[in-house]
Amino acid sequence: MTAGLFVVHAPAASAADITTDLGITSGGDVVAGGGKAFIAGGDRILVVNANGTFNTAVDGLSARSLAITPDGTRLYAALRDPNEVMELDTTTLDTTREISLAEYPCPTNLALSGRWLWVGYGCDQWDGGVVGIDMASGHRSRLIRVASTYASPKVAAAGNTLVVGDALSPATLSVYDVNAFHTTLRGIIDGHDYHAGFLGDLAITPDGSTIIAAFLNSAEYLAWDTTSLQEVHAYGPDPSSGYYAPVVAVSPDGTHVAGGRGTKSGLVVTLYDSATTTPVYTGTLRDHGAFMDLQSLTFSGNDLFAIWKDLATHHLHLWRLETGALPESTLTLTAPSTGTGADVLTLTGRLTLPDGSAPGEQPLSVTRYVNDSAKLTFGATTAEDGTFTFKDQPRSAGVIRYDVIWNGSPTVHWSAASATVTLVKAVSSITLSGPETGILGTQLTFSGVLSMGGQPVRSSTPLRILREVTNSNGTVVTALPPVSSITPDGRFRFRDTPAEAGEYSYRVEFDGDRAGLPTTATLDVTVEEAPQE
């Protein structure tokens, strides 16, 4: 067909697109993987689910840039102030490795490719550069330095290709070959030749074959072949050009390129077919009453997460865009409607693909909320036919909500499902055992079992022990040390040494907890003086 004979109109953003004030004023980088998105938030890393809802936060990390492994299991954060890179487990959010960059101050930009993590660093003019960290060598990571730039450079990497972009105008893109032992300069793309100044963002296709760059003074997102270093595509022109620095991203499967920027009237993000440069989706965000600066952009499957700043309040916002570029999957979830806080709940569901084929074993992320606050995240897996079952014991009364997310695939859109269970406090009971008689001055040992809903349980609520002694001197009630050590099967023990003869009554009181109601148990013991010899 002859170019220019037709125009494909990109669909508008869907009603499901959401924007959320993150309550932070610094940071702004975002990456996604494993059913979550991670946002550098000044002094913390925010974690959101694939549908854009808040998950949790990791405090105390002043990250400037983030990178995530393709399988979504490891997150890397560039910490500018302590001059180090931190590796985190994305499931537990525990730190698994810390790598010092004391000789390479102000790490600012990250790019991950295979075993290599590339770090653009630099605090002041002409002290910038890039250092490569060999992540396969464990805690004693091998460092290879490449490039020296005006300031902390942009970096992008895939396969055996590394691209380094400096902050000068016109911009320069340096392309390197990477192997196990060294990096070699492959060539330079000179911004003079393309009237490309002030590099805004840099991306590379997953196979390392194509560089895509966004420039402040260009209405297009330009692409070069990494072997020939010749321009091969120009995505756009972007109608929003001319205001703030643009951002660009490539989908995990390389089939789409996304680009956008802020304007005086709002934000515009356009999704392009990477091979044909045809725009297939446009998302716009307007009428927020202030200048809006787009900070970063990443793919979550074929949807997008964008971070933008309100330049009046300086607050950062999360914008999730459902691009509609992939066929929809369906996820269902069924839970019991009611129960008690002691119940083990069984939930079932099914993942269905658009063509009805069996999805095979697929990982799911499950998040449990108790009264919309306390939460726990764990995993589940579908069977070959897409069905799944998981069990959970919330150990709390109230409204329990379960959110299940499938992160999608390169060819199928992610999906989510929710279900709620209303739980009441379970009936509790205590079985108390011990001697019926005792000898003055001889220690007595008592044991018991705490149950809820007829099943032995452990509670964090201590058991109160009251001892009542009745004899010729009257009746005296004494509080003994509480029992706080209860085994997982509900068992507990306590001891007492009678100091006088009489009728003893030991009362064990449980005040109840989030899952169970209060209960008591009593055991009577007759204590006599030791027989005379």
Side-chain angles (χ1 to χ4, degrees):
M1 298 185 67
T2 304
L5 292 181
F6 65 95
V7 176
V8 176
H9 295 283
S14 76
D17 296 344
I18 60 171
T19 182
T20 305
D21 188 336
L22 296 173
I24 54 177
T25 57
S26 61
D29 194 22
V30 59
V31 296
K36 302 174 186 175
F38 302 84
I39 303 159
D43 62 348
R44 73 202 73 168
I45 295 176
L46 302 178
V47 186
V48 299
N49 299 319
N51 61 359
T53 58
F54 178 75
N55 185 299
T56 189
V58 184
D59 294 324
L61 298 182
S62 56
R64 296 296 298 270
S65 179
L66 303 173
I68 194 167
T69 55
D71 62 4
T73 61
R74 289 291 184 269
L75 177 73
Y76 298 96
L79 308 182
R80 181 166 175 141
D81 294 333
N83 294 325
E84 66 181 22
V85 167
M86 183 173 289
E87 179 186 74
L88 294 91
D89 183 305
T90 58
T91 300
T92 64
L93 299 180
D94 293 334
T95 299
T96 53
R97 185 158 37 170
E98 295 179 50
I99 301 170
S100 174
L101 295 177
E103 298 178 9
Y104 309 95
C106 300
T108 306
N109 298 298
L110 296 181
L112 180 66
S113 177
R115 64 189 287 179
W116 290 98
L117 179 67
W118 299 98
V119 185
Y121 67 89
C123 305
D124 303 308
Q125 296 180 359
W126 297 115
D127 73 342
V130 178
V131 60
I133 305 175
D134 182 359
M135 303 305 293
S137 58
H139 289 278
R140 299 186 62 182
S141 298
R142 184 158 54 89
L143 305 175
I144 294 181
R145 176 173 176 167
V146 301
S148 181
T149 61
Y150 174 77
S152 178
K154 302 284 187 182
V155 288
N160 67 337
T161 300
L162 167 69
V163 184
V164 178
D166 64 29
L168 294 175
S169 181
T172 298
L173 305 181
S174 301
V175 183
Y176 293 85
D177 283 313
V178 178
N179 61 38
F181 302 101
H182 54 79
T183 57
T184 304
L185 181 65
R186 188 183 301 171
I188 292 176
I189 299 171
D190 192 339
H192 284 93
D193 299 333
Y194 302 94
H195 306 288
F198 297 109
L199 177 65
D201 204 3
L202 189 63
I204 190 169
T205 54
D207 61 2
S209 65
T210 309
I211 307 163
I212 302 97
F215 302 93
L216 180 61
N217 68 338
S218 175
E220 297 176 312
Y221 305 98
L222 304 181
W224 291 269
D225 180 272
T226 58
T227 300
S228 67
L229 305 186
Q230 297 299 306
E231 183 181 356
V232 291
H233 294 304
Y235 300 93
D238 184 344
S240 65
S241 62
Y243 295 103
Y244 304 117
V247 295
V248 67
V250 180
S251 64
D253 62 0
T255 60
H256 292 94
V257 171
R261 74 185 80 203
T263 74
K264 291 182 178 179
S265 60
L267 306 174
V268 177
V269 171
T270 304
L271 185 69
Y272 303 92
D273 183 287
S274 60
T276 66
T277 74
T278 302
V280 296
Y281 166 90
T282 297
T284 58
L285 192 63
R286 305 187 187 280
D287 300 325
H288 279 257
F291 291 174
M292 303 163 69
D293 183 16
L294 196 60
Q295 303 270 294
S296 59
L297 189 66
T298 193
F299 278 85
S300 177
N302 266 46
D303 290 339
L304 294 165
F305 281 111
I307 303 297
W308 62 274
K309 175 176 282 191
D310 182 326
L311 296 184
T313 65
H314 299 289
H315 277 210
L316 292 172
H317 295 70
L318 173 68
W319 182 22
R320 181 176 64 86
L321 301 95
E322 290 191 353
T323 67
L326 292 177
E328 297 284 343
S329 61
T330 301
L331 195 65
T332 61
L333 180 64
T334 302
S337 58
T338 60
T340 75
D343 291 346
V344 177
L345 304 178
T346 300
L347 293 90
T348 61
R350 178 185 288 271
L351 171 65
T352 304
L353 298 184
D355 61 1
S357 62
E361 293 186 359
Q362 296 292 332
L364 305 173
S365 175
V366 182
T367 303
R368 182 191 71 200
Y369 296 88
V370 178
N371 297 323
D372 288 328
S373 56
K375 60 184 179 296
L376 173 70
T377 298
F378 53 94
T381 303
T382 66
E384 286 293 325
D385 64 354
T387 59
F388 62 90
T389 300
F390 63 88
K391 295 180 181 294
D392 185 48
Q393 188 176 28
R395 288 284 293 123
S396 177
V399 178
I400 316 299
R401 187 181 90 241
Y402 292 90
D403 292 345
V404 179
I405 296 175
W406 178 58
N407 198 41
S409 73
T411 58
V412 179
H413 191 277
W414 65 271
S415 55
S418 295
T420 59
V421 186
T422 300
L423 302 181
V424 299
K425 289 191 175 184
V427 174
S428 303
S429 63
I430 294 174
T431 302
L432 187 59
S433 302
E436 296 181 356
T437 60
I439 302 299
L440 178 66
T442 302
Q443 187 180 71
L444 305 175
T445 299
F446 302 89
S447 62
V449 177
L450 173 65
S451 299
M452 291 183 193
Q455 298 296 322
V457 295
R458 175 168 56 185
S459 176
S460 60
T461 301
L463 302 177
R464 191 164 49 249
I465 311 296
L466 298 178
R467 180 189 65 198
E468 180 182 290
V469 180
T470 301
N471 54 26
S472 59
N473 297 322
T475 299
V476 177
V477 178
T478 304
L480 300 182
V483 175
S484 57
S485 177
I486 304 176
T487 64
D489 59 357
R491 298 183 182 277
F492 63 90
R493 299 171 70 93
F494 67 93
R495 295 179 173 85
D496 184 45
T497 301
E500 57 183 322
E503 297 298 325
Y504 281 64
S505 179
Y506 291 90
R507 180 180 176 89
V508 179
E509 298 182 346
F510 173 60
D511 287 339
D513 60 12
R514 292 183 304 173
L517 295 169
T519 189
T520 63
T522 302
L523 183 66
D524 296 329
V525 182
T526 300
V527 175
E528 301 176 343
E529 294 184 359
Q532 299 293 325
E533 295 184 0

